[in-house]
Amino acid sequence: MIFKTDLNYRKQALVKLLLNVQKKEAEIIQALYDDFKKPAFEAVATETSYIVSELEYTIKNLKKWAKPQRVLPSFLNFPSTDYLYKEPYGKVLVISPWNYPYQLALAPLIAAVAAGNQVVVKPSELAENTSRIIAEIIAASFEEQHVQCVLGGVEVSQNLLSQRWDYIFFTGSVAVGKIVAQAAATHLTPVTLELGGKNPCIIDESADLKLAAKRIVWGKFLNAGQTCIAPDYLLVHEHIKPKLIEYLKAEIILAYGENPQESTDFPRIINEKNWKRQLQLLENQTVIFGGQSDVSDFYLAPTLVDEPSLDSLVMQEEIFGPILPILGYTSETDLEKIIVRYEKPLSLYVFTQRKSFAQKIITRFSFGGGCINDTVIHFANKRLPFGGVGHSGIGAYHGKRSFELFSHNKPIVKKATWLDIPLRYAPYQGKLSGLKKMLKWFS
Ligand code: NAD
């Protein structure tokens, strides 16, 4: 098939996609608003500009990335030149979620196409307006046998998963991630699973509290908390907890006003089911700020919860909404006891002025990625791989790594014919000591 190998074909397809996403930007922003009142600023900052940048970067570097990569040969093969060929897997399935519905469907698609694969994308049924525009963009940009967008819900996803694929890229919940992994196992299909978890955010006594509060409020309430790498809960040193809480309240008011329901900058919960789940998480909790809700537009205010029991629902499930539990700690042992209760999270944040403390935290705990003195922004660097570890995911992408992810690295040794060292050939008699010497020299 021409599109599997022809670099020009891939490049032209991506250029066409770039033109179409630029042409449709206003429609995408509107669709994201219609789906859950995502503000235009957030739509541009976290969805449309990200895709344009990923496309431009990929188009610019495609030729370089796709070229067979020369690697140092082994002396044991002397004389040879050794390469890694970048081979497309073949048929790729991309299943994406609703929270960043545009970006999380298109980013893997761009990389899979760049690497030379055929792709089927199944966006989320919950962000139906955005998914419809994604389907229009894909239909306008690609030949049908190259890339297709399939719309629909769980049954459509299940049907796709029952088919044979050469690679599956899934972004979504841990529970569905397990279903995807099981389906992939039937045909030993490689998978990337971009999942979620309970992301801790630690604030120690030395932190710049006002700045920490500002950055936590931004990262937590962006997209109304419906962000896989949002801080899920705070672990705050007891000495500074009251002060931090005051700053958090002030920053929420500064960002969204006294009544966030009236703010054009605060999105809604995606649907009634998820809205009800958020309210359930608040049952029997000590709400110290926010908590107001309105079913008519699935609104829940930015909400602070003080000292929830670790056995309560809000400390058991990934929150994925605008609720921020705050727990005090006094010693590093307290921190450890809480963090290790959970599966390895997708991200972890630590606010501190003490380098040694930050170092200790980021090396002591296993997590997908994170920040020191900020939240969420590690996502934005193309040179940092994005992905989870353990239950928060398998594999990582972004930038060049996305291209690598959708390419099989095929090692090839090109052996010269002008010399043929006889040592390896039978009969072996009298050659063992020579072999041992050679292995010692070149190991
Ligand atoms: P989800 O797992 O419910 O759905 C994701 C996709 O899977 C959708 O397209 C859906 O149609 C499909 N699906 C749902 N149930 C299925 C089933 N039983 N069988 C087959 N397919 C099924 O996730 P969601 O609610 O859309 O998104 C929220 C979750 O995604 C959160 O846990 C969040 O942390 C995670 N997430 C992770 C990342 C990341 O990059 N790691 C990014 C965004 C969201």
Side-chain angles (χ1 to χ4, degrees):
M1 273 169 290
I2 183 163
F3 45 76
K4 286 187 84 179
T5 49
D6 190 285
L7 261 190
N8 278 333
Y9 183 93
R10 298 183 208 173
K11 195 169 172 179
Q12 277 163 21
L14 291 175
V15 168
K16 204 165 169 190
L17 178 62
L18 177 60
L19 290 175
N20 283 319
V21 300
Q22 285 170 329
K23 206 158 78 187
K24 289 261 192 193
E25 187 179 21
E27 280 180 66
I28 298 155
I29 293 170
Q30 183 61 46
L32 288 163
Y33 183 82
D34 294 342
D35 281 329
F36 57 112
K37 292 200 175 166
K38 191 183 282 241
F41 183 91
E42 289 186 15
V44 171
T46 64
E47 305 240 30
T48 58
S49 68
Y50 179 81
I51 289 303
V52 168
S53 149
E54 199 75 2
L55 266 167
E56 287 174 342
Y57 188 64
T58 305
I59 291 165
K60 186 171 152 221
N61 289 292
L62 180 56
K63 202 168 159 197
K64 192 168 71 191
W65 294 344
K67 219 168 78 179
Q69 180 193 342
R70 191 108 177 244
V71 298
L72 276 180
S74 162
F75 280 115
L76 294 172
N77 291 334
F78 184 80
S80 78
T81 37
D82 295 11
Y83 301 90
L84 283 175
Y85 277 73
K86 311 290 167 178
E87 181 181 82
Y89 279 101
K91 277 167 51 187
V92 170
L93 174 63
V94 173
I95 301 178
S96 54
W98 56 265
N99 61 329
Y100 291 85
Y102 177 68
Q103 188 237 106
L104 293 172
L106 285 201
L109 161 70
I110 293 164
V113 166
N117 299 282
Q118 286 172 278
V119 191
V120 169
V121 182
K122 209 297 280 172
S124 172
E125 67 281 16
L126 300 189
E128 56 178 331
N129 295 296
T130 311
S131 296
R132 203 182 51 246
I133 311 269
I134 292 172
E136 285 170 19
I137 290 173
I138 288 176
S141 308
F142 299 100
E143 289 179 61
E144 209 184 334
Q145 74 273 29
H146 184 197
V147 179
Q148 263 182 48
C149 179
V150 179
L151 295 180
V154 175
E155 306 74 40
V156 170
S157 195
Q158 284 166 336
N159 177 33
L160 288 166
L161 285 172
S162 70
Q163 298 167 32
R164 182 167 182 166
W165 301 92
D166 299 303
Y167 203 100
I168 300 176
F169 187 102
F170 172 80
T171 309
S173 60
V174 174
V176 180
K178 289 180 185 174
I179 295 172
V180 172
Q182 270 172 359
T186 313
H187 298 291
L188 293 180
T189 303
V191 286
T192 294
L193 301 176
E194 295 282 339
L195 310 176
K198 280 191 91 59
N199 307 318
C201 177
I202 302 161
I203 304 97
D204 95 337
E205 292 161 284
S206 70
D208 177 336
L209 292 187
K210 195 167 178 339
L211 190 60
K214 194 188 228 7
R215 292 177 177 175
I216 291 166
V217 164
W218 173 77
K220 175 67 189 185
F221 300 111
L222 176 82
N223 217 32
Q226 301 165 115
T227 302
C228 56
I229 48 175
D232 188 275
Y233 61 97
L234 302 188
L235 293 167
V236 190
H237 196 283
E238 282 291 2
H239 288 166
I240 45 111
K241 193 177 156 211
K243 192 94 203 137
L244 182 78
I245 290 175
E246 286 320 302
Y247 282 134
L248 288 170
K249 290 177 181 174
E251 289 299 335
I252 294 172
I253 295 170
L254 210 61
Y256 305 110
E258 293 287 347
N259 180 5
Q261 195 170 10
E262 285 171 1
S263 165
T264 49
D265 295 335
F266 189 67
R268 297 301 183 256
I269 308 295
I270 185 72
N271 62 10
E272 186 166 5
K273 185 173 161 224
N274 286 28
W275 179 82
K276 279 188 173 152
R277 191 180 72 84
Q278 292 297 312
L279 293 203
Q280 242 177 20
L281 297 182
L282 285 180
E283 276 168 20
N284 304 319
Q285 297 299 344
T286 310
V287 172
I288 53 170
F289 189 82
Q292 302 83 356
S293 63
D294 183 350
V295 68
S296 70
D297 66 348
F298 306 143
Y299 167 74
L300 174 62
T303 298
L304 304 179
V305 167
D306 194 29
E307 296 297 336
S309 148
L310 293 180
D311 298 324
S312 62
L313 216 51
V314 80
M315 286 310 292
Q316 282 175 358
E317 291 183 8
E318 177 187 8
I319 295 173
F320 214 60
I323 300 171
L324 185 58
I326 305 169
L327 295 120
Y329 74 88
T330 46
S331 68
E332 287 173 24
T333 321
D334 293 348
L335 279 182
E336 172 129 1
K337 268 192 203 147
I338 296 174
I339 294 172
V340 300
R341 282 172 71 99
Y342 303 103
E343 296 291 348
K344 295 175 180 178
L346 185 57
S347 50
L348 180 148
Y349 306 109
V350 54
F351 285 84
T352 180
Q353 304 286 16
R354 292 190 291 143
K355 267 191 198 160
S356 59
F357 181 70
Q359 193 64 16
K360 198 187 263 178
I361 296 294
I362 58 171
T363 51
R364 164 62 189 88
F365 301 106
S366 181
F367 52 95
C371 311
I372 299 166
N373 291 323
D374 212 333
T375 62
V376 172
I377 50 145
H378 57 300
F379 186 90
N381 184 351
K382 287 185 180 45
R383 286 165 290 278
L384 292 176
F386 181 77
V389 58
H391 277 222
S392 55
I394 297 174
Y397 72 132
H398 283 188
K400 186 182 179 197
R401 278 191 177 81
S402 301
F403 177 89
E404 290 287 336
L405 188 88
F406 288 108
S407 307
H408 162 58
N409 268 301
K410 191 196 267 178
I412 298 292
V413 171
K414 187 175 158 214
K415 193 71 192 262
T417 50
W418 56 269
L419 178 68
D420 193 32
I421 297 168
L423 182 71
R424 68 173 147 147
Y425 300 109
Y428 301 130
Q429 211 180 5
K431 291 181 176 176
L432 188 57
S433 65
L435 174 72
K436 283 183 176 169
K437 264 188 209 147
M438 215 169 122
L439 290 174
K440 209 170 159 192
W441 289 337
F442 297 129
S443 64

